[in-house]
Amino acid sequence: MVSVFLCVLLSCVSGALIPEAEVNVAVIHEPFVCKRKTKTGDMLLVHYEGFLQHNDTLFHSTYRDNKGQPVWFTLGIREVITGWDKGLQNMCVGEKRQLIIPPALAYGKDGKGKVPPESTLKFIVSLMEIRNGPRSHESFQEMDLDDDWKLSKAEVKAYLKSEFQKHGAEVNETHHDALVKDIFEKEDEDGDGFISAREFTYNHDEL
């Protein structure tokens, strides 16, 4: 009985000591001037190359595979792998980072596409631009056009379009529709077709 208890106790202790998976972040290039750093909810424009760490095989590159175009995503809302959401925080425009991401924060035991299961990945990421995302507190009142303290899909989409147009970017209806769909799937907890101020603030009170 005592031995069983000790085994259970030791298992609990050893389990408690297992460290959480972390992203290894190395700054390759840092700009001389940094006016703003990335935070959860920001929309980021990045160029990147992704490698399998064990043999340095390139599995994806925006320079090669995306017609040479960088990609947009919203930081911290699981649009990308968790390793990116963690490893690209507090980053400056013009900064380049190397991220070494363990499987638990990448594609895990299933893998994806050219990435085998249980793969540690290396990314070289260059940040081109930061924009206010649809998830920041500062943006809520801008989006809430009728001041009813809840956001409709039309209001969120209008905000996205205005942000892109403000910066001279091409308006991509398909991309905006996908972003709006993703936002409402994650934020509209009661499924009423609106994001209330409570839902928005509760999910993003770290901003």
Side-chain angles (χ1 to χ4, degrees):
M1 182 69 177
V2 173
S3 61
V4 171
F5 175 77
L6 287 175
C7 286
V8 172
L9 180 61
L10 289 173
S11 296
C12 291
V13 172
S14 62
L17 295 177
I18 296 175
E20 292 185 9
E22 293 184 356
V23 180
N24 184 295
V25 179
V27 177
I28 298 173
H29 173 75
E30 193 168 11
F32 183 71
V33 177
C34 182
K35 295 182 179 180
R36 173 180 179 177
K37 292 188 176 183
T38 59
K39 67 181 186 304
T40 296
D42 285 340
M43 293 180 66
L44 311 188
L45 181 66
V46 300
H47 261 307
Y48 73 92
E49 293 177 302
F51 303 86
L52 303 179
Q53 190 195 29
H54 76 281
N55 61 8
D56 224 28
T57 297
L58 177 68
F59 64 85
H60 197 272
S61 167
T62 51
Y63 304 100
R64 181 193 70 181
D65 303 321
N66 199 47
K67 298 181 180 179
Q69 298 299 310
V71 295
W72 286 101
F73 73 96
T74 306
L75 185 65
I77 64 168
R78 299 183 183 180
E79 280 187 7
V80 291
I81 58 176
T82 303
W84 272 35
D85 280 341
K86 290 177 175 289
L88 299 180
Q89 296 280 348
N90 299 308
M91 190 174 182
C92 303
V93 172
E95 186 176 335
K96 179 183 285 189
R97 290 184 181 181
Q98 174 183 279
L99 308 180
I100 304 298
I101 303 177
L105 301 179
Y107 298 112
K109 63 181 180 179
D110 297 323
K112 183 176 181 180
K114 297 179 181 179
V115 178
E118 299 294 351
S119 293
T120 297
L121 306 179
K122 178 177 76 174
F123 287 94
I124 306 298
V125 183
S126 297
L127 180 60
M128 317 298 290
E129 189 174 342
I130 306 171
R131 295 182 186 167
N132 287 336
R135 311 278 179 126
S136 66
H137 284 315
E138 297 86 354
S139 300
F140 186 88
Q141 288 185 326
E142 292 182 52
M143 286 188 281
D144 188 17
L145 300 177
D146 56 8
D147 294 321
D148 63 353
W149 290 95
K150 60 184 180 181
L151 304 178
S152 67
K153 292 180 180 179
E155 285 175 325
V156 174
K157 185 173 181 179
Y159 174 80
L160 286 171
K161 291 176 71 172
S162 68
E163 281 295 302
F164 273 67
Q165 290 169 339
K166 186 188 303 180
H167 292 85
E170 181 180 351
V171 175
N172 185 322
E173 292 288 342
T174 301
H175 179 61
H176 291 164
D177 286 341
L179 277 176
V180 171
K181 180 181 178 183
D182 175 76
I183 291 166
F184 273 78
E185 285 177 351
K186 292 181 172 68
E187 304 280 359
D188 183 15
E189 295 177 350
D190 58 11
D192 67 350
F194 295 92
I195 298 171
S196 67
R198 186 202 64 78
E199 288 170 330
F200 188 95
T201 304
Y202 177 79
N203 285 324
H204 298 283
D205 58 1
E206 74 277 18
L207 297 176

